[in-house]
Amino acid sequence: MATSLAGKTAIVTGAGSGINLAFARLLLRKQCNVVIADLALRPEAEEVVAAHSSLSRSPARAVFQRTDVRDWAQLECMFSTATKEFGGADIVCPGAGVYEPPFSSFWHPPGSSASRDFPDSNRYALLDINLTHPIRTTQLAIAHFLSKRRGPSPPPAHAMSHVVHISSIAGQTTPLLAPLYNASKHAISGYVRTLAPLDRNHGIRVTAVAPGVVDTALWRDNPEKLRLVREEAGDEWVSAEEVADVMGVLVGDGRNNEIEVVKPCGFDNGLEEKGLVRIEGGLILEVGKGRVRKVEQFNDPGPKGAGNSVGNMPLVDGEILEMLGSGKWGV
């Protein structure tokens, strides 16, 4: 059966821009309140918050909670804000993430000029943001959901709670450019699968999307990343809205608890057909341009299709290998 997001509340980290902002917009259109948790808001996100500042202006409200996701106390504050403003949260998306930025990159090791990971800090900021923050936020979400639950467990479908993560096609592939990012997304996919039993036992559904190359500021505002894309050679972008639409279905805005995906047609022949997949805990959906595919735990064929490749990746990998051979890199 279809469920409605109207009257529910979501916490979305990283919703000051990109995929998470697109998801926040979708939720608000569905009359779901949103706590936007981020360090800052891009102008387009400020407009969203202003347009949904009160029920007199919109059927749902958006509240901005300044949040550094590396700080666990600030993660707890997100839930306090959701409880104070809306009576609690039903949906949580720990979506904030970074893509191997110079300030925390395997190829800019701690102590190098570009890195802000100090040798005596014993940590990588990228892993704090991309991995530790989603894990801790999910812990807090599970405790929050169980503490406010009344009635049978598991609850009926319309009363389920949701955590939707953002993995990546980098959770299946291994480009040399981004070792820490790859590791974080492989870990998120495994983590989501691990929590699958919470669905049928406690009505807490933990799922993830695995987007391809998404047209957001994370790419457009970063020349080093943008040069990976060869649009003239056929590389294509996935829109943030395409990813947000799939996230919406995962958290209950679907029909009959199913989603249409592409599936292999026959064995190892490269052909595909469309079919339905049941939405359940542990599900990971790859989102390319105009296509959605279930990522299998075993014997998965890997990403394919438009929006899932960047033509200049081999060039950049070659530059890294050349740098290592020059004697100019070290820790």
Side-chain angles (χ1 to χ4, degrees):
M1 69 179 272
T3 59
S4 172
L5 299 179
K8 296 186 177 182
T9 295
I11 297 171
V12 186
T13 70
S17 63
I19 294 171
N20 301 298
L21 175 57
F23 184 46
R25 282 174 167 151
L26 179 144
L27 293 169
L28 289 163
R29 287 198 305 272
K30 302 291 182 177
Q31 301 182 26
C32 175
N33 302 308
V34 181
V35 175
I36 293 177
D38 209 331
L39 283 171
L41 300 176
R42 289 177 66 90
E44 56 270 30
E46 291 179 343
E47 292 175 5
V48 169
V49 173
H52 298 85
S53 59
S54 68
L55 292 178
S56 64
R57 304 189 66 182
S58 167
R61 288 198 298 128
V63 173
F64 173 57
Q65 174 72 40
R66 188 184 184 283
T67 305
D68 182 342
V69 298
R70 296 171 296 178
D71 185 329
W72 288 13
Q74 293 187 42
L75 297 180
E76 292 182 25
C77 285
M78 304 185 308
F79 290 87
S80 298
T81 296
T83 299
K84 176 184 175 182
E85 297 286 343
F86 306 113
D90 311 282
I91 298 163
V92 173
C93 173
V98 293
Y99 182 82
E100 207 83 12
F103 71 78
S104 185
S105 166
F106 186 85
W107 301 118
H108 296 282
S112 64
S113 59
S115 178
R116 296 207 299 268
D117 292 330
F118 299 105
D120 59 356
S121 69
N122 302 315
R123 62 198 317 120
Y124 293 102
L126 183 148
L127 296 180
D128 285 343
I129 296 167
N130 285 19
L131 182 57
T132 303
H133 133 250
I135 290 174
R136 180 57 179 156
T137 300
T138 303
Q139 286 182 319
L140 294 170
I142 292 169
H144 177 79
F145 295 151
L146 294 177
S147 69
K148 74 187 192 75
R149 180 157 296 168
R150 302 291 183 269
S153 187
H158 71 272
M160 288 193 70
S161 304
H162 295 268
V163 181
V164 57
H165 288 265
I166 299 181
S167 183
S168 168
I169 58 170
Q172 306 169 63
T173 60
T174 53
L176 181 63
L177 171 66
L180 295 180
Y181 182 80
N182 300 340
S184 72
K185 295 306 182 180
H186 276 76
I188 287 295
S189 292
Y191 178 66
V192 166
R193 296 189 196 281
T194 300
L195 298 179
L198 299 185
D199 187 333
R200 61 181 176 273
N201 288 281
H202 292 287
I204 300 173
R205 180 169 292 168
V206 182
T207 57
V209 288
V213 184
V214 183
D215 191 357
T216 64
L218 184 146
W219 285 83
R220 294 288 187 183
D221 292 353
N222 191 321
E224 281 298 303
K225 292 178 178 59
L226 192 57
R227 74 189 186 103
L228 295 172
V229 181
R230 293 183 62 197
E231 293 184 77
E232 74 282 0
D235 287 349
E236 297 188 69
W237 295 96
V238 182
S239 73
E241 289 72 25
E242 287 179 281
V243 182
D245 286 344
V246 176
M247 295 167 71
V249 175
L250 287 174
V251 300
D253 190 36
R255 300 180 62 183
N256 301 320
N257 209 35
E258 295 175 325
I259 186 171
E260 185 177 74
V261 301
V262 294
K263 297 180 174 182
C265 179
F267 178 74
D268 201 26
N269 60 11
L271 299 177
E272 295 178 326
E273 62 183 356
K274 289 188 176 181
L276 294 175
V277 165
R278 178 177 173 79
I279 299 170
E280 57 190 357
L283 178 64
I284 300 171
L285 294 176
E286 176 186 300
V287 186
K289 181 177 176 58
R291 56 183 276 127
V292 180
R293 185 182 72 88
K294 178 183 178 182
V295 181
E296 300 290 350
Q297 185 169 5
F298 302 109
N299 301 316
D300 187 86
K304 63 182 297 187
N308 284 330
S309 63
V310 285
N312 279 337
M313 186 67 79
L315 173 66
V316 176
D317 285 355
E319 292 174 353
I320 292 171
L321 294 172
E322 183 178 349
M323 174 189 66
L324 294 176
S326 71
K328 297 179 180 179
W329 188 87
V331 296

